[in-house]
Amino acid sequence: MGAVVGTLTMQTKQRRPSTDKADDDLEMTMVCHRPEGLDQLEAQTNFSKRELQVLYRGFKNECPSGVVNEDTFKQIYSQFFPHGDASTYAHYLFNAFDSAHTGSIKFEDFVTALSILLRGSVQEKLQWTFNLYDINRDGYINKEEMTDIVRAIYDMMGKYTYPVLKTDAPKQHVDAFFQKMDKNRDGVVTLDEFILSCQEDENIMRSLQLFENVI
């Protein structure tokens, strides 16, 4: 969860929010995609209007057009992991943010996902994470999908984080987690199994709370 949330919020604090509503409305008309009004986003997320202004300015600073495609997303994300290869993990993360499968992320997509990851309930956070691992979106996580995600995370963190990393480390990691999560031993992990297993793991539950007050 830390890898998901931490780097997504680092760009949101660079500029102070404007208190001038006309100023914000004007800025929103100057991009190719105009996001929904702040009042509507405030109602749909767990952020205040002031927090949304900060997030919007950070988003627009990185994506002046108002939308971000996958290549741009990868470029931005890779800046935070200079010692590793973040491209594969960024691909999976991009797909999770692009819930409508449009091939681009709008500010609404970004802030809705961020609201869940930072301020959502435990159930909401775990369901979002389950969807990240469910690469083919069939409602289940199989070993291949979990292995792909875990290997992508290992690649992203780089050799300095794992100085003695063995080539079979991702597989061992997945085997251990799958053994724990696949309660009925049918070869796949359902949403209910995933949530139950995560709730039984103190480390996972602790990680869900790390970024609650990040903004």
Side-chain angles (χ1 to χ4, degrees):
M1 288 296 297
V4 174
V5 180
T7 58
L8 294 172
T9 59
M10 293 179 70
Q11 294 295 320
T12 65
K13 296 185 177 182
Q14 294 183 358
R15 297 179 59 185
R16 295 178 59 190
S18 169
T19 55
D20 189 336
K21 183 178 184 301
D23 225 20
D24 291 311
D25 288 343
L26 177 61
E27 288 191 6
M28 286 187 176
T29 64
M30 294 174 65
V31 295
C32 297
H33 170 77
R34 178 174 180 172
E36 297 172 5
L38 290 179
D39 290 335
Q40 186 172 350
L41 287 175
E42 184 180 19
Q44 293 173 347
T45 67
N46 297 312
F47 295 126
S48 68
K49 190 174 296 186
R50 184 178 180 84
E51 289 170 330
L52 287 167
Q53 289 171 341
V54 175
L55 289 167
Y56 177 70
R57 289 174 181 276
F59 185 87
K60 195 186 65 144
N61 186 53
E62 294 292 342
C63 316
S65 68
V67 296
V68 56
N69 60 29
E70 183 171 340
D71 287 341
T72 303
F73 185 84
K74 287 180 178 179
Q75 291 171 10
I76 295 171
Y77 203 76
S78 65
Q79 295 173 17
F80 301 102
F81 300 93
H83 300 304
D85 180 1
S87 59
T88 303
Y89 185 74
H91 165 73
Y92 295 133
L93 194 59
F94 179 88
N95 287 341
F97 271 75
D98 181 22
S99 56
H101 321 308
T102 62
S104 62
I105 299 173
K106 303 187 299 292
F107 177 66
E108 295 93 320
D109 302 321
F110 172 75
V111 79
T112 298
L114 207 61
S115 173
I116 293 173
L117 292 171
L118 298 182
R119 305 279 174 81
S121 66
V122 169
Q123 292 278 121
E124 289 172 331
K125 292 176 181 178
L126 291 177
Q127 183 164 353
W128 194 95
T129 306
F130 177 89
N131 292 336
L132 171 67
Y133 278 81
D134 181 17
I135 296 173
N136 65 6
R137 310 193 191 217
D138 65 351
Y140 303 94
I141 299 173
N142 58 42
K143 264 193 176 182
E144 183 180 350
E145 289 173 319
M146 186 171 284
T147 301
D148 288 345
I149 295 287
V150 171
R151 183 176 288 116
I153 293 174
Y154 273 65
D155 290 344
M156 176 179 67
M157 301 310 292
K159 60 183 179 181
Y160 293 103
T161 305
Y162 301 100
V164 234
L165 180 63
K166 298 179 180 178
T167 55
D168 62 346
K171 181 181 183 302
Q172 292 177 352
H173 188 105
V174 169
D175 286 343
F177 268 90
F178 220 85
Q179 180 74 15
K180 179 180 180 179
M181 290 186 176
D182 185 13
K183 302 291 187 183
N184 61 0
R185 303 292 182 264
D186 64 350
V188 294
V189 174
T190 65
L191 175 61
D192 289 341
E193 288 175 326
F194 182 82
I195 290 177
L196 180 60
S197 297
C198 290
Q199 289 178 327
E200 292 173 345
D201 190 307
E202 291 184 5
N203 290 328
I204 292 177
M205 295 306 294
R206 196 177 299 117
S207 74
L208 293 179
Q209 302 173 356
L210 287 178
F211 298 97
E212 287 183 355
N213 298 311
V214 75
I215 295 179

